[in-house]
Structure formats: C-alpha cells, structure tokens
Amino acid sequence: MVAKHFIFLGAPGVGKGTQAQRLAQLIRLPHVSTGDMLRASVQSGSAIGVRAAAVMESGALVSDEIIIGIVAERLLLADAATGVVFDGFPRTIHQANALDDLLAGRGDQIAAVLHIELADEEIVERLSGRRVCATCGAIYHVRYHPPAVEGICDVCGGVLLQREDDQPAVIRKRLAVYQAETAPLIAYYHDRSAYHLVSGEGEADEVFSRIVKAVGVAR
Ligand code: AP5
C-alpha cells in the first residue's frame, strides 16, 4: 500500500494546527507538527531544544538541517507507514526538496497540499487570542473558541498558556519570515494536482468542510 501524506501550507495563525488536528483525527493518520515537536524538545532541554529555543522566540526559522532530521526520524516510526498529516512542514524550498527526496526513496506520495489563505488583520487577531494546552496541545481562542472553564483544557484538564511567540512584535516578524521563506512554496506546489487553495475565513467548522471537500473524504 502506498503511503499518502498531507501538507498544510499557510502563514502563521491561518489555522493550520486547528485543521490538521481535525483532519488527522478524521482520516486516522498521525498529526506531525514540527512546531509541536520543537516545543517538546525545548521543554525537555534536549540538544535540539537548546539550539531551537532562541530562534523560535525571535520568530525566525530553525535550520533546515535540524528540521529535515527530525522529520526523517519521525517518518521511520511505525504509525507513519500509511502516511501523516504535516503541519508547519515544509517551510522552505530546501525542506520541500528534501521531502520530495525522502518520499521518493520510500515510494510514498503527497495526497494533498492544503494552502490556507487569510488576511493579515485576521491572523493577528487569531494569534493574539490563542491559548494552547501545555499538556495535550489542544488549541483554543479566548473569543472564537474559549474553553468551558477559563484557563483549563476541555480535553485533558491541563493548564492553558499563551505561546512566547504570540507577542505582537514576534507575530509581525513571523509574518515577514513567512513572506520571505515560505510563500515561495506556493509556486513550488501550485501546478501539482494535489494542490488546493482553501479560504481560512469563517468558523473552524466551515473551513474544515472546505478541506474535507477538497481532499474528497467522507465525514
Ligand atoms: P509553528 O508552531 O508551526 O507555528 P506557525 O506556523 O507560526 O503556525 P501557528 O501554530 O502559529 O498557527 P496555525 O496556522 O497552526 O494556527 P492555529 O490553528 O493555532 O512554528 C513555530 C516556530 O517553530 C516557527 O516560528 C519556527 O521558529 C519553528 N518551526 C516550526 N516548523 C518549522 C520548520 N518546518 N522549519 C523551520 N522552523 C520551524 O490557530 C490560531 C488561532 O486561531 C487559535 O487560537 C485558534 O483557536 C484560532 N482559530 C483557528 N481557526 C479559526 C477560525 N476558523 N476562526 C476563528 N479562530 C480560529
């Protein structure tokens, strides 16, 4: 059976994590977020975490070498055998080339590239109100998706925190880095049949309906 992988592409805050978690649950594939993996490394104090911490806090990108290494290792785990839902990877042309090489070496395919688009003002609004569960990673928003009890995760009862890189100055830097380093990936994938442009406007349920329709899976 050929493994088929899904890619979420889009600026910080467009809803990649929210939608990737949902799609992964629906189609029963692992959700592979390079941002979550790096934050776990920072928390554990591993060598990669020590190198990545300051870079992430500044809003810049962690080196391609580190990212490609952690993704290659992740794909070796048994649960990736039929495919994964990537969130936040690839993020540079070099990473996209490396992914194509990795997948070609395994005989795997890209099932869909879901490019989510949203206006910058809405992105800033979403990121500044985001709260994330420190235990399970569930994503909330103080206005659009509040938890039942303020500051507590509905899923696991963990504490909700604001990410260090969700401060206004760092958000602006991340948007600029996206334009310079990640937006060129749109042209890289645009002409492939797997590419889908999806509007990120409206409620999370509406966006998810567009994604499900684009990839042709039943809900
Ligand atoms: P990462 O964790 O990947 O962050 P990001 O790409 O900047 O994306 P975000 O997680 O900020 O946003 P999102 O699009 O997932 O939105 P979300 O669903 O949370 O990366 C962090 C850092 O790690 C990078 O800056 C870099 O340093 C490093 N890194 C990671 N990957 C790397 C790579 N491949 N190469 C190099 N460096 C890498 O939604 C945002 C908010 O909006 C939430 O509050 C949510 O509840 C709310 N929301 C979502 N959808 C809706 C909706 N439809 N309506 C209203 N609110 C909504």
Side-chain angles (χ1 to χ4, degrees):
M1 184 179 170
V2 177
K4 296 198 169 180
H5 305 274
F6 292 78
I7 292 173
F8 276 86
L9 182 62
V14 294
K16 300 182 300 296
T18 301
Q19 300 299 333
Q21 281 180 1
R22 284 178 170 222
L23 182 65
Q25 202 172 16
L26 180 69
I27 60 181
R28 296 203 176 89
L29 288 181
H31 169 220
V32 173
S33 157
T34 42
D36 286 351
M37 289 159 87
L38 289 168
R39 281 183 287 277
S41 299
V42 171
Q43 228 174 359
S44 73
S46 71
I48 285 180
V50 171
R51 284 174 68 187
V55 178
M56 292 173 77
E57 257 180 59
S58 77
L61 293 185
V62 173
S63 77
D64 286 338
E65 169 220 344
I66 289 183
I67 298 293
I68 293 162
I70 61 175
V71 167
E73 262 185 41
R74 180 64 186 81
L75 287 180
L76 292 176
L77 298 187
D79 67 351
T82 54
V84 307
V85 178
F86 286 114
D87 164 12
F89 175 87
R91 224 155 161 132
T92 63
I93 295 285
H94 188 67
Q95 291 178 20
N97 280 319
L99 180 64
D100 278 341
D101 290 348
L102 257 174
L103 299 190
R106 295 162 51 101
D108 292 2
Q109 290 174 3
I110 294 175
V113 177
L114 296 151
H115 170 201
I116 307 184
E117 210 175 39
L118 191 66
D120 276 6
E121 315 84 79
E122 179 65 19
I123 286 178
V124 173
E125 168 79 16
R126 288 190 188 179
L127 287 181
S128 39
R130 172 167 55 188
R131 298 293 181 271
V132 181
C133 176
T135 308
C136 73
I139 304 166
Y140 297 87
H141 190 280
V142 288
R143 215 169 98 211
Y144 301 131
H145 179 36
V149 178
E150 196 184 328
I152 304 294
C153 177
D154 293 346
V155 181
C156 74
V159 178
L160 303 187
L161 300 175
Q162 183 164 29
R163 271 172 43 178
E164 295 275 352
D165 59 353
D166 280 347
Q167 308 300 328
V170 187
I171 292 173
R172 283 196 294 277
K173 167 84 189 273
R174 287 161 61 204
L175 287 171
V177 168
Y178 171 78
Q179 285 306 333
E181 306 206 37
T182 308
L185 286 182
I186 299 166
Y188 184 88
Y189 287 119
H190 189 271
D191 294 336
R192 300 192 189 188
S193 58
Y195 173 88
H196 303 278
L197 177 61
V198 178
S199 165
E201 277 177 38
E203 293 193 1
D205 272 348
E206 292 172 52
V207 180
F208 191 55
S209 297
R210 289 178 202 130
I211 287 170
V212 164
K213 196 171 162 204
V215 300
V217 291
R219 277 177 97 167

